[in-house]
Amino acid sequence: MKLKHIDDLFDGLEGCKIRTITLTNNDIKTFNGKWFAQFQELITLDINWNKISNRNLKLKGLSGLTWLHLGDNPISEIPAFCDDGLFKLTTLHLSHTQIRSFAELKEKFRCLQSLKYLYLNELEINKLHNNTFSALKNLKELNLMKMQGRSLEISPYAFNSSSLDTLSFYMTKRFRFTMWYAKMGTFSPQTLFSQCRNIIALDLSHNVFNFTEKKIRDMFKPLKNLQRLFLEHLQITYIPKYFLHNFPKLRKLSMAKNMIVPWTDGTLTFKDVKSLQILNLENNRISMISLKSIPSNVLDNLKTIDLSNNHFTCSCDLLWFRDWMKSTKVEIKNAKTYKCDNSEFLTKYNPTPESCKNIVLIIAVSIGSLVGVILFATIIVYFCRWRIRFQLYNIRSRYRNYHKLTQNNSVYVAYVIYCYEDLTWVKNKLIKEIEIEQGFKLCIPHRDFEVGKVFADNIVDHMNLSKTLDVARSKLTKEGSLTILPVMLEEVEFKNMNAAIYSFIKLSNYAAWSEDNNAKELFWDKIKDHLKNI
């Protein structure tokens, strides 16, 4: 009504048995309780959303009030309720005022022993002090929602109250219940709820919780009497295992508007949950509910479940849940709006059990067959690995058009270049197998070079007598590459090679020596094949 002055507004109602006066959403700047002293039965007064400051607020004369709403006024300090004789108050609203500190709250509330419901929402408070509410012996419900404090600190025993049964700590600026903030002294997980064990309803929505930390989960252990728990908008992706069993009396759980994904072991998630009747998981990322998601004893006790705005994956795995929806007596909130990720309504998804069994059988057989083929192929490749490498070598040789030369004046089939430390292997292995057993003549410098002749001349002369070097020289002239077969007696790390050798080895089909019998056979076959095709 845009009222600005009410000092004589009610004079004509003297003698009336008025119990409730509501003057909300006006432009009242001054308020005096004496204006209403004539109403002896007045117990409810609502003057919220006006322009009343502490200087212009007088409550004396309203000693019969039990319900008072002062919210949304520019009140910067807690009013002197005791001085004004408001001893009967049971409900008090001071939300959305300009109160910045609770330091004086305990003193100014000392006489409010009948107070049961206290609303302190949307205040810019930086600290909740120890035992602030402990003197209010009948306090049942404490609302500290949407507090704007940017650096709020919660003292270890801020919630100390043996009578408190409902606590709402629903924040706008998210309070971070993490071990980092605990170490900084912002709150104490060990004591936060230790002195308010009779709480039956707790709302901690719009905060941040690190449930991976055991100390954060253990913070809730004192709340054995909890019946209603609200953990909405926490940005969590899962329901913590071994968490809900802390609350044996839990009747309502709401974890709506998070990012919870499907879980597989409901026996751990809902361990010891026996009294749950209302489960709200709307607006999450739950794409699948299976027989193992929620134990049957929990489902049987439910009265209401809400899974709306979760995009389900409509597959045969969801068949159990769809059938349960059709047969259960549990009230499923907004069931007709449940959708699959392809926008199909879940209630219209109707695969037959037989078709699902066939699909499962086909998938199982296909996967089993594929695994069997891969395993068989792996075994064959392993046992025939040396033969396979040899065949690949032959194919590559033919692809490169290697062919025999027609020269008949070569004394040696190949010229052997080796390190002096490998001379023993050349004498005992190479000469024995290639020359003695197979009849190929090799040029071995330490054996075939002429004594007393210049070493460089020996190299040139014997290279001219070696058939392999003729081939190498021919390919160098025609193709710009050398026909050389590298022989590696042991593995050499590439980091120990210079760039030229590394490049040559990497691009060559070298023969690798091994003590393995199959490997030895391939090794000698590769050398013999190379020499035969020169």
Side-chain angles (χ1 to χ4, degrees), residues 366-383:
S366 299
I367 294 176
S369 300
L370 180 61
V371 171
V373 169
I374 293 174
L375 182 60
F376 179 76
T378 302
I379 294 173
I380 294 299
V381 169
Y382 176 78
F383 284 105

Side-chain angles (χ1 to χ4, degrees), residues 320-334:
W320 172 84
F321 180 61
R322 189 218 59 179
D323 291 341
W324 179 81
M325 289 177 63
K326 293 181 178 180
S327 62
T328 186
K329 295 181 180 179
V330 176
E331 179 187 0
I332 304 175
K333 291 285 188 179
N334 305 308

Side-chain angles (χ1 to χ4, degrees), residues 42-238:
L42 182 64
I43 59 174
T44 299
L45 177 63
D46 188 347
I47 53 175
N48 90 91
W49 208 278
N50 279 284
K51 298 178 180 179
I52 305 169
S53 63
N54 288 85
R55 185 177 59 181
N56 298 316
L57 175 64
K58 292 182 171 61
L59 297 172
K60 191 179 293 284
L62 299 172
S63 58
L65 285 183
T66 61
W67 195 100
L68 176 62
H69 199 326
L70 295 173
D72 291 283
N73 280 291
I75 296 173
S76 57
E77 297 178 4
I78 298 172
F81 298 109
C82 295
D83 294 343
D84 290 338
L86 274 68
F87 307 133
K88 295 181 180 180
L89 279 180
T90 59
T91 302
L92 176 61
H93 290 260
L94 289 172
S95 301
H96 206 248
T97 59
Q98 295 179 9
I99 296 174
R100 298 290 185 270
S101 172
F102 285 168
E104 296 181 349
L105 189 147
K106 185 176 182 179
E107 173 60 24
K108 291 190 175 182
F109 277 27
R110 69 185 186 282
C111 64
L112 303 183
Q113 293 303 307
S114 297
L115 192 65
K116 294 181 179 180
Y117 308 100
L118 179 59
Y119 297 85
L120 301 170
N121 303 326
E122 300 184 75
L123 302 179
E124 293 191 18
I125 300 296
N126 291 320
K127 185 172 183 178
L128 296 178
H129 301 273
N130 281 329
N131 304 310
T132 298
F133 312 102
S134 61
L136 302 174
K137 301 303 182 182
N138 288 295
L139 185 64
K140 297 296 182 184
E141 182 174 335
L142 175 61
N143 289 271
L144 298 169
M145 298 190 293
K146 299 183 180 180
M147 298 180 70
Q148 301 290 328
R150 293 183 179 275
S151 56
L152 179 64
E153 178 184 338
I154 305 176
S155 299
Y157 299 101
F159 298 133
N160 181 11
S161 174
S162 58
S163 61
L164 191 65
D165 64 24
T166 300
L167 173 61
S168 295
F169 195 72
Y170 173 125
M171 302 299 287
T172 298
K173 301 293 183 181
R174 296 178 182 273
F175 188 87
R176 297 186 175 274
F177 290 96
T178 65
M179 289 310 300
W180 170 252
Y181 276 74
K183 291 177 181 177
M184 291 174 60
T186 305
F187 78 108
S188 172
Q190 293 87 353
T191 62
L192 187 65
F193 299 124
S194 63
Q195 302 301 315
C196 51
R197 296 172 179 267
N198 292 317
I199 288 179
I200 61 174
L202 179 64
D203 189 348
L204 295 174
S205 302
H206 276 276
N207 292 296
V208 175
F209 276 87
N210 184 2
F211 280 114
T212 60
E213 292 284 352
K214 186 176 184 298
K215 288 186 178 180
I216 299 299
R217 297 196 304 272
D218 290 347
M219 181 174 70
F220 294 85
K221 281 189 174 182
L223 305 177
K224 299 297 183 182
N225 294 314
L226 199 63
Q227 296 180 24
R228 300 188 299 276
L229 177 61
F230 299 85
L231 299 173
E232 302 178 357
H233 271 296
L234 300 184
Q235 300 180 347
I236 57 177
T237 59
Y238 65 100

Side-chain angles (χ1 to χ4, degrees), residues 285-297:
R285 298 179 181 178
I286 303 170
S287 59
M288 181 64 59
I289 295 290
S290 68
L291 182 61
K292 295 181 179 180
S293 299
I294 305 176
S296 57
N297 64 303

